[in-house]
Amino acid sequence: MRILYVVKGMSLSNGVSSFIMNHVRQMVTDPNFQCDFLVVTDIGSPYYDELKSYGCAIYFMPSYTRHPLQVVPFLRKVFSSQHYDLVHCNVMNSASPILMMAKRYGIKVRIFHSHATQNGDTKWKQARNKLFADLTIKYATTNFACSKLAGDYLFGKDNYYEIPNAIDITKFKFDENTRQKVRDKYHVPSNVKIIMTVGRFTTQKNPMYIVDIIAELKKQDFNFVFWWFGDGELEGDVKKYAEAKQVTDVIKFWGSRIDINRLYMAADVFILPSLFEGLPVVGIEAQISGLPTLLADTVSNETKIGKYTEFLPLDNPACWADEIKKIAKVDHNIVGASVDTSTWNIVKAAQRLKKLYAELIFESRKDL
């Protein structure tokens, strides 16, 4: 079975990258499974070396804007150099020519995977991207979605397979010794609460609102530091806004980290006030790590897998600050004990996905 994964990029702070890497790490143990990657926008990634160690080929797409005439020859070369049994496409705007070319080269299984409940952060982008999405759906043979909200939004009800954003449960399970080691390493006293978020600096993640929440917490003389993990195009603007709000003294910007599982354990509360999400992997990771979690009410309620996860509106930063202060006192072990991990075990999820791949390929060959 040879799979081509199509991704926008492979950033550490990207939920789609995490989803794919979590599954690929399980699948490559099978000698009959081969996966390659087509990266639409290359910004570099530490995942590349890992993927190459598994024998994965990585193709980097020419820019649609800078080198539009190179796109079609590039895709011809990719699809003529290898026979792929299946293309699993995880991008929206640039997906239609990729799946069109895949169809032209006889690839019978072409998956379009919805990872979000909105396809743009402005009305103009949403209208434009809907045209791209409709065209992509035309060339896809199978629809996947990370949640019911993401699936219904893009494909309509019951017209897709729901694929959970599963993770390595053992890697994220809370450990008191790890917590203490990390806090000691970064000199965080026991009476200081660590509030954290993980995500790219994009409009979708609502970063300016996060700064507003931090400002509210600081006004209330709450003893805390804020750990911010991620990178992205708005990082400079966010830092300027934090300076204007006079909160840079309580924020640590970490960038993207490969050891995020250990850093979750050092924290006390996780927040994600995104404008839209499909089903955020980081929300699952945080809960399994024993973190009380606050999510925007725009996020699918399927993300709630434990007792200490709440959904809040995006019209009142002071409300978020108040809730953070309340739940920061909850013990990690109590949070972890309330979490249902049955759907999110990557070992079982990867087995299910590989079985589904095989079934889709088998069914496609009946028509030959």
Side-chain angles (χ1 to χ4, degrees):
M1 183 190 306
R2 195 173 190 111
I3 310 295
L4 180 67
Y5 286 103
V6 180
V7 294
K8 183 175 182 180
M10 290 297 287
S11 167
L12 287 177
S13 54
N14 184 289
V16 176
S17 301
S18 297
F19 162 80
I20 293 172
M21 291 302 299
N22 287 338
H23 283 80
V24 166
R25 288 179 182 124
Q26 298 296 319
M27 293 180 177
V28 293
T29 59
D30 182 346
N32 296 315
F33 181 87
Q34 171 67 42
C35 63
D36 297 336
F37 282 75
L38 194 164
V39 179
V40 174
T41 306
D42 176 32
I43 57 172
S45 172
Y47 288 141
Y48 293 159
D49 287 340
E50 181 181 354
L51 290 172
K52 289 175 182 176
S53 75
Y54 301 145
C56 305
I58 305 174
Y59 307 103
F60 299 106
M61 187 110 143
S63 168
Y64 277 106
T65 54
R66 294 193 302 274
H67 307 291
L69 297 180
Q70 295 180 21
V71 171
V72 170
F74 165 82
L75 291 174
R76 283 179 182 149
K77 185 175 181 180
V78 169
F79 289 119
S80 62
S81 64
Q82 293 288 351
H83 172 71
Y84 289 103
D85 299 294
L86 180 153
V87 175
H88 186 160
C89 187
N90 297 274
V91 298
M92 184 181 297
N93 295 356
S94 48
S96 54
I98 297 170
L99 292 188
M100 179 181 68
M101 195 63 69
K103 179 181 180 181
R104 185 173 297 176
Y105 277 84
I107 300 171
K108 297 292 186 181
V109 183
R110 303 179 298 276
I111 297 168
F112 185 22
H113 197 144
S114 175
H115 290 278
T117 56
Q118 194 170 307
N119 60 9
D121 48 41
T122 66
K123 288 186 177 180
W124 179 84
K125 286 183 180 178
Q126 289 174 31
R128 179 199 65 186
N129 294 345
K130 185 180 187 305
L131 294 175
F132 287 129
D134 289 346
L135 192 56
T136 302
I137 291 169
K138 176 183 175 183
Y139 289 110
T141 60
T142 307
N143 303 325
F144 281 5
C146 63
S147 69
K148 286 183 172 58
L149 277 179
D152 290 352
Y153 169 75
L154 199 58
F155 306 121
K157 293 193 174 184
D158 303 321
N159 192 28
Y160 55 89
Y161 293 94
E162 191 173 345
I163 310 297
N165 288 344
I167 66 170
D168 184 343
I169 303 295
T170 59
K171 181 178 174 183
F172 288 90
K173 190 173 176 58
F174 177 70
D175 177 72
E176 186 66 51
N177 289 331
T178 300
R179 172 180 172 82
Q180 199 56 53
K181 286 178 182 178
V182 174
R183 290 177 71 99
D184 288 346
K185 179 178 180 179
Y186 296 108
H187 311 293
V188 182
S190 59
N191 64 334
V192 174
K193 299 297 184 182
I194 299 174
I195 319 304
M196 70 176 286
T197 193
V198 181
R200 299 196 72 245
F201 287 90
T202 62
T203 301
Q204 174 192 352
K205 301 300 181 180
N206 211 5
M208 306 307 181
Y209 191 80
I210 294 175
V211 174
D212 291 337
I213 294 170
I214 296 168
E216 289 292 338
L217 277 173
K218 188 176 178 181
K219 266 197 275 183
Q220 297 180 25
D221 293 325
F222 185 54
N223 195 8
F224 79 105
V225 292
F226 193 90
W227 284 6
W228 205 322
F229 298 92
D231 49 32
E233 61 268 23
L234 294 182
E235 185 171 353
D237 294 337
V238 172
K239 289 180 176 178
K240 287 179 183 176
Y241 188 57
E243 288 176 6
K245 299 288 278 187
Q246 299 182 343
V247 294
T248 53
D249 59 317
V250 293
I251 302 177
K252 181 174 177 60
F253 293 100
W254 290 83
S256 295
R257 293 282 297 237
I258 198 76
D259 59 343
I260 193 69
N261 59 312
R262 292 172 56 81
L263 297 162
Y264 277 123
M265 295 178 198
D268 297 283
V269 179
F270 178 85
I271 69 169
L272 193 70
S274 300
L275 296 176
F276 58 94
E277 293 280 356
L279 197 152
V281 177
V282 292
I284 303 301
E285 292 173 349
Q287 291 173 82
I288 290 173
S289 300
L291 280 175
T293 299
L294 297 179
L295 305 168
D297 60 7
T298 56
V299 177
S300 170
N301 59 15
E302 296 167 77
T303 311
K304 182 181 173 77
I305 61 172
K307 182 179 177 182
Y308 298 94
T309 296
E310 301 295 336
F311 298 88
L312 300 177
L314 292 173
D315 58 358
N316 189 349
C319 171
W320 283 72
D322 291 341
E323 288 299 320
I324 287 170
K325 289 171 67 178
K326 286 180 190 174
I327 65 173
K329 302 171 185 176
V330 183
D331 182 84
H332 289 65
N333 290 300
I334 293 174
V335 176
S338 76
V339 170
D340 179 4
T341 63
S342 57
T343 303
W344 311 101
N345 186 322
I346 188 58
V347 176
K348 294 180 180 178
Q351 289 172 347
R352 288 194 297 268
L353 181 58
K354 191 162 65 170
K355 183 173 182 286
L356 178 55
Y357 283 161
E359 290 171 352
L360 291 170
I361 293 168
F362 177 77
E363 288 298 320
S364 73
R365 289 173 177 169
K366 285 184 176 179
D367 300 328
L368 296 179

